[in-house]
Amino acid sequence: MYIQKISLENYRIFIKKELTFKSGVNLVLGNNSTGKTSLLEAIFLAFSGELINSFNPINYNSNLAKISISFLFNEILNEINLILKKKDEKFDKNLFLNEKKIETFKEIRNRFLSPFLMNTFDISLISLEPENKRDFIDRFLKISDQEYRNLYYNLKRILKQKTNLLKKKSFDDIINSLNHKIVEYSSEISYKRINILNSILEDLNIACRKMWKNIEEIKIIFTPGFNTPIEIKKDPKIKETLKKSYSEAIQKFRNQEIDKEKVIISSNRDNFEFILTYNNRFQLVKNVFSQSQVNIFSLIFFLSLVKKIKQIYNYYPVILLDEPFVFLDNSNTEKILKILHNYPQVIITSNKDIESINNRIYL
């Protein structure tokens, strides 16, 4: 699968813009504030239905925006058209696949794998706050696992209901019912996050040892929403442990939730950290690595997830990288590019030219 062309009308900074891409590595060049990030987010939105940030995607001078993407899948040309119409403070989405109107993005997701996006914040992923790391993993799981997507939005709805009841000082049987759902959804969400991290751990270690010879092992410590750290490894009883621990934690923090009028225990507080083992010492990767090493490690982690997608779907997604080489010198940039040339299509944005990339698109 690869994208041939995108057309944007009244989408954020773009009044009217058409760009063409080729297979292999594509470099989108432009100065700051020329729409590089908006371009990648438009591609991601058209396939997944997900907005990466809260900015209104419709240009402020218009009431309507349009994204059109032509792409090849199994050597057949397809076209997605997404029309966004302003509605009060929000907007409606009208979606078309090959000129046929479809009701939801689920049909797109069932037929085509969404491109996988790494934005400018993600290049420092391991140094970011827990919320940013959750968002990154969620972005992956929501496009690769429909069950996870349902769990994610069900939990979001339940947490909103519980928060409203806490603010109203309402503590009847409805709260107990919501707590039961929070335990159910949170334990499943944490389990799926743990499972995906465990599934890429071996590939992550192999890639890191190729990049840095002195690394013995990378471990991942996962801290679920009940705040008890767990080392990522195979554990047949992990589901049972998560469910029991969430249930106990909700009971333990019941009075605090009432006093603070907010939900304290759920998978919305999950976190994970990378631990570096070398010379029989253990340290957080983020505390040992330089900014450029963090940049490289985050890209390796991202590509380990991409490889997992290939195992699930039997083909690679289009890879979208927003300013991925900010902290890298030319030597390390070329090392990462050598890896990226193995993928069917990669679209990179940058404000500096990279001579080794032949496919250039100028904004």
Side-chain angles (χ1 to χ4, degrees):
M1 173 177 170
Y2 81 91
I3 295 169
Q4 287 190 332
K5 181 175 70 175
I6 182 170
S7 300
L8 301 170
E9 293 183 26
N10 296 316
Y11 183 86
R12 291 188 179 155
I13 196 174
F14 298 108
I15 303 304
K16 196 165 187 178
K17 192 74 173 179
E18 183 173 293
L19 301 170
T20 58
F21 304 100
K22 298 179 180 179
S23 59
V25 179
N26 296 258
L27 179 65
V28 179
L29 283 163
N31 294 325
N32 292 336
S33 302
T34 54
K36 299 188 299 295
T37 297
S38 293
L39 169 66
L40 299 190
E41 290 181 354
I43 295 171
F44 187 74
L45 172 61
F47 280 90
S48 69
E50 298 279 338
L51 276 172
I52 296 298
N53 59 54
S54 58
F55 298 124
N56 195 317
I58 303 173
N59 186 279
Y60 66 91
N61 284 325
S62 179
N63 291 315
L64 183 146
K66 184 178 179 181
I67 304 168
S68 298
I69 297 179
S70 300
F71 62 100
L72 277 177
F73 181 72
N74 288 339
E75 300 184 357
I76 298 174
L77 185 63
N78 296 273
E79 184 177 64
I80 291 175
N81 285 289
L82 176 60
I83 299 172
L84 309 172
K85 295 181 180 179
K86 279 185 181 177
K87 185 178 181 182
D88 300 324
E89 297 297 317
K90 299 182 180 180
F91 56 91
D92 286 334
K93 300 173 186 174
N94 291 297
L95 184 62
F96 299 83
L97 176 61
N98 298 328
E99 300 184 348
K100 178 184 176 183
K101 192 175 189 310
I102 56 179
E103 296 303 317
T104 68
F105 281 90
K106 185 176 180 180
E107 185 172 341
I108 299 287
R109 291 192 296 267
N110 286 344
R111 293 184 59 181
F112 312 108
L113 181 57
S114 170
F116 195 21
L117 170 66
M118 186 176 195
N119 63 34
T120 50
F121 296 105
D122 297 331
I123 62 170
S124 300
L125 181 70
I126 62 173
S127 302
L128 298 180
E129 295 298 315
E131 179 182 3
N132 302 106
K133 287 184 276 189
R134 287 195 304 272
D135 286 347
F136 182 81
I137 288 293
D138 289 344
R139 196 185 312 152
F140 167 79
L141 285 168
K142 283 191 287 183
I143 66 173
S144 62
D145 185 340
Q146 184 61 45
E147 183 183 9
Y148 183 87
R149 186 181 182 85
N150 294 338
L151 289 165
Y152 176 90
Y153 286 109
N154 283 337
L155 178 63
K156 187 175 181 180
R157 173 176 52 83
I158 294 296
L159 293 178
K160 185 177 180 180
Q161 290 176 9
K162 181 176 176 179
T163 300
N164 290 336
L165 289 173
L166 288 170
K167 289 179 178 179
K168 292 177 182 177
K169 303 294 183 182
S170 176
F171 314 120
D172 53 20
D173 290 341
I174 297 177
I175 283 279
N176 293 330
S177 175
L178 294 178
N179 283 339
H180 177 77
K181 289 293 184 183
I182 290 171
V183 170
E184 179 185 346
Y185 296 148
S186 289
S187 57
E188 285 291 332
I189 286 171
S190 292
Y191 172 74
K192 284 181 176 287
R193 288 170 177 164
I194 289 170
N195 191 48
I196 197 65
L197 290 170
N198 183 55
S199 71
I200 67 167
L201 192 52
E202 183 179 353
D203 285 334
L204 181 65
N205 270 281
I206 291 170
C208 284
R209 290 190 194 107
K210 286 181 180 178
M211 190 64 65
W212 302 289
K213 304 300 182 184
N214 62 333
I215 287 181
E216 293 175 12
E217 186 179 12
I218 299 289
K219 296 176 181 282
I220 303 176
I221 301 298
F222 190 93
T223 305
F226 50 81
N227 209 28
T228 302
I230 299 170
E231 182 182 342
I232 296 290
K233 59 183 179 181
K234 289 184 178 180
D235 181 355
K237 295 183 178 180
I238 187 64
K239 261 192 178 183
E240 181 183 330
T241 300
L242 289 168
K243 197 165 186 177
K244 181 181 178 183
S245 298
Y246 270 117
S247 182
E248 291 174 350
I250 284 178
Q251 294 303 314
K252 179 180 178 180
F253 288 91
R254 181 178 181 275
N255 290 335
Q256 286 190 40
E257 289 187 333
I258 291 171
D259 292 341
K260 294 182 178 181
E261 298 181 358
K262 67 177 185 179
V263 179
I264 295 175
I265 303 299
S266 80
S267 56
N268 273 16
R269 296 171 67 88
D270 285 359
N271 187 26
F272 57 94
E273 298 284 1
F274 297 93
I275 308 296
L276 175 64
T277 305
Y278 66 104
N279 297 329
N280 294 318
R281 297 170 63 191
F282 301 88
Q283 292 196 48
L284 289 172
V285 171
K286 66 182 182 183
N287 293 341
V288 178
F289 276 13
S290 66
Q291 183 63 70
S292 64
Q293 289 174 318
V294 167
N295 190 159
I296 294 169
F297 184 89
S298 299
L299 283 163
I300 290 172
F301 177 55
F302 171 87
L303 292 174
S304 297
L305 288 169
V306 170
K307 187 174 179 180
K308 184 62 181 178
I309 291 180
K310 168 67 161 53
Q311 293 172 0
I312 296 170
Y313 285 88
N314 205 32
Y315 68 95
Y316 283 112
V318 174
I319 296 174
L320 309 175
L321 299 174
D322 192 13
E323 296 279 6
F325 308 129
V326 171
F327 301 108
L328 303 188
D329 58 20
N330 290 338
S331 175
N332 282 319
T333 296
E334 290 304 320
K335 285 180 183 178
I336 297 298
L337 280 173
K338 187 176 180 180
I339 298 171
L340 293 176
H341 279 294
N342 294 318
Y343 295 91
Q345 187 177 47
V346 183
I347 301 175
I348 298 171
T349 66
S350 178
N351 57 14
K352 64 178 182 179
D353 200 358
I354 301 173
E355 292 184 3
S356 58
I357 300 178
N358 295 323
N359 301 333
R360 292 182 179 84
I361 301 103
Y362 297 90
L363 290 180

